[in-house]
């Protein structure tokens, strides 16, 4: 949800409540997830009156439903945080870092699908357009631009729902999608199967896995014939392999054998201390890095539970 699109444009409390109820109803049992920020309730809805004050004054059933959605159940944009370097996001002169558009920008940056929905009422046309160009960095010094597809009517949500691919429903389908989706990675199907099938299927592992693998696939796509990295690949290293909030890190285990994995394509044993992280549950994605000279793909040799206890 685009927080900025709620700016006091409704004439009456009833209009604001009816608009939100319509969006809530349209978003139920869909392939997409309508994510809101925790600050949406403080936005002005009718003149300067905040959305939370409008909802509190609504009828009991409407009040309970909307407060549960926007104040308790979500889903919220910080439920599954994506940690990035230079985490500032702007739309024109508006800071949207902690809003829905900032969350959409982060997802697009790491290769996830994301779009926005804007609340339109009255004569304002600022958000009756698509895409919205959300800048990472500072307005005068952007590092990257996220072109966020924007919807502003309920028919748009119907179209969005019909266009979304169904998420994998099992480890087998997840592994199959990974192998076909990321051509610059050599994913060891046998190791993935062994690591994942020890555990119940978990959607957060799937979603986070897609994020991690997309970054690695883009990184591998930037490896030149001489082993050098393209500028976009160097940027990925800077953004996701450095600092305390990096998606990927190296680790020196007490027993190095714990990070040695069999490459089932040729029988070699490869030491893979570099890994991507899934926090809930504690899973790790281990891969070969740096790659040998002349190799223009990344071998991903393990995805499963965290192998060290520290």
């Amino acid at each position: 949800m685009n927080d900025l699109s709620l700016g006091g444009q409704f004439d009456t409390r009833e209009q604001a409540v009816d608009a939100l109820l319509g969006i809530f109803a349209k978003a139920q049992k869909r392939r997409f997830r309508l994510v809101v920020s925790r600050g949406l309730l403080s936005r002005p809805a009718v003149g300067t009156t905040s959305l939370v004050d409008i909802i509190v004054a609504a009828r009991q059933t409407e009040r309970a439903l909307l407060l549960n959605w926007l104040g308790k159940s979500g889903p919220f944009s910080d439920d599954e945080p994506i940690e990035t370097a230079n985490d500032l996001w702007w739309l024109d002169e508006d800071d949207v870092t902690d809003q829905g558009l900032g969350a959409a920008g982060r997802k697009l940056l790491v290769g996830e699908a994301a779009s926005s929905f804007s609340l339109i009422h009255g004569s304002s046309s600022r958000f009756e357009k698509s895409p919205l160009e959300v800048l990472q960095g500072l307005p005068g010094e952007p590092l990257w631009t996220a072109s966020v597809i924007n919807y502003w009517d309920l028919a748009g949500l119907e179209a969005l729902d019909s266009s979304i691919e169904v998420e994998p429903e099992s480890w087998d389908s997840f592994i199959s999608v990974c192998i076909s989706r990321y051509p610059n990675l050599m994913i060891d199907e046998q190791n993935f199967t062994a690591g994942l099938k020890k555990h119940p299927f978990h959607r957060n592992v799937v979603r986070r896995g897609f994020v991690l693998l997309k970054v690695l696939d883009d990184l591998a796509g930037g490896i030149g014939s001489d082993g050098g990295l393209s500028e976009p690949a160097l940027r990925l290293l800077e953004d996701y392999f450095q600092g305390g909030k990096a998606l990927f890190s190296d680790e020196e285990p007490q027993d190095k054998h714990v990070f040695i994995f069999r490459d089932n394509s040729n029988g070699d044993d490869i030491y893979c201390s570099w890994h991507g992280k899934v926090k809930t549950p504690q899973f790790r994605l281990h891969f070969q890095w740096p790659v040998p000279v002349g190799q223009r793909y990344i071998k991903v040799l393990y995805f499963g539970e965290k192998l060290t206890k520290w």
Side-chain angles (χ1 to χ4, degrees), residues 37-174:
S37 79
R38 296 185 188 274
L40 186 65
L41 283 172
S42 65
R43 295 286 301 174
V46 178
T48 60
T49 305
S50 69
L51 179 59
V52 67
D53 288 339
I54 296 297
I55 294 174
V56 166
R59 288 177 295 191
Q60 194 277 330
T61 54
E62 297 170 343
R63 179 172 68 248
L65 185 152
L66 293 176
L67 286 179
N68 182 67
W69 171 31
L70 300 174
K72 184 178 179 181
S73 298
F76 296 105
S77 54
D78 59 358
D79 285 344
E80 299 173 6
I82 296 175
E83 298 169 343
T84 65
N86 304 304
D87 193 33
L88 292 172
W89 298 87
W90 297 79
L91 180 71
D92 302 326
E93 299 300 316
D94 291 300
D95 183 348
V96 296
T97 302
D98 296 322
Q99 298 183 10
L101 290 177
R106 290 183 194 91
K107 285 182 174 291
L108 291 171
L109 179 64
V110 300
E112 284 196 68
S115 54
S116 68
F117 183 83
S118 297
L119 281 158
I120 300 299
H121 181 81
S123 60
S124 175
S125 61
R126 181 184 181 189
F127 300 111
E128 291 186 64
K129 64 179 182 179
S130 181
L132 301 177
E133 303 296 339
V134 181
L135 306 182
Q136 180 195 22
L138 297 173
E141 303 175 9
L143 299 173
W144 186 72
T145 300
S147 294
V148 180
I149 301 300
N150 182 51
Y151 301 92
W152 58 89
D153 57 37
L154 298 183
L157 293 182
E158 291 280 4
L160 172 63
D161 184 62
S162 64
S163 69
I164 294 175
E165 295 182 2
V166 178
E167 281 191 339
E169 297 286 345
S170 68
W171 290 132
D172 285 334
S173 61
F174 170 62

Side-chain angles (χ1 to χ4, degrees), residues 32 35 43 187 236 270 303 307:
F32 64 81
V35 176
R43 295 286 301 174
I187 293 173
L236 291 172
I270 299 178
F303 197 12
L307 297 172

Side-chain angles (χ1 to χ4, degrees), residues 26 54 66 78 99 181 205 211 242 252 260 265 285:
K26 187 63 68 174
I54 296 297
L66 293 176
D78 59 358
Q99 298 183 10
R181 183 177 291 183
V205 173
V211 171
Q242 300 175 18
E252 189 73 23
I260 294 177
S265 68
L285 180 84

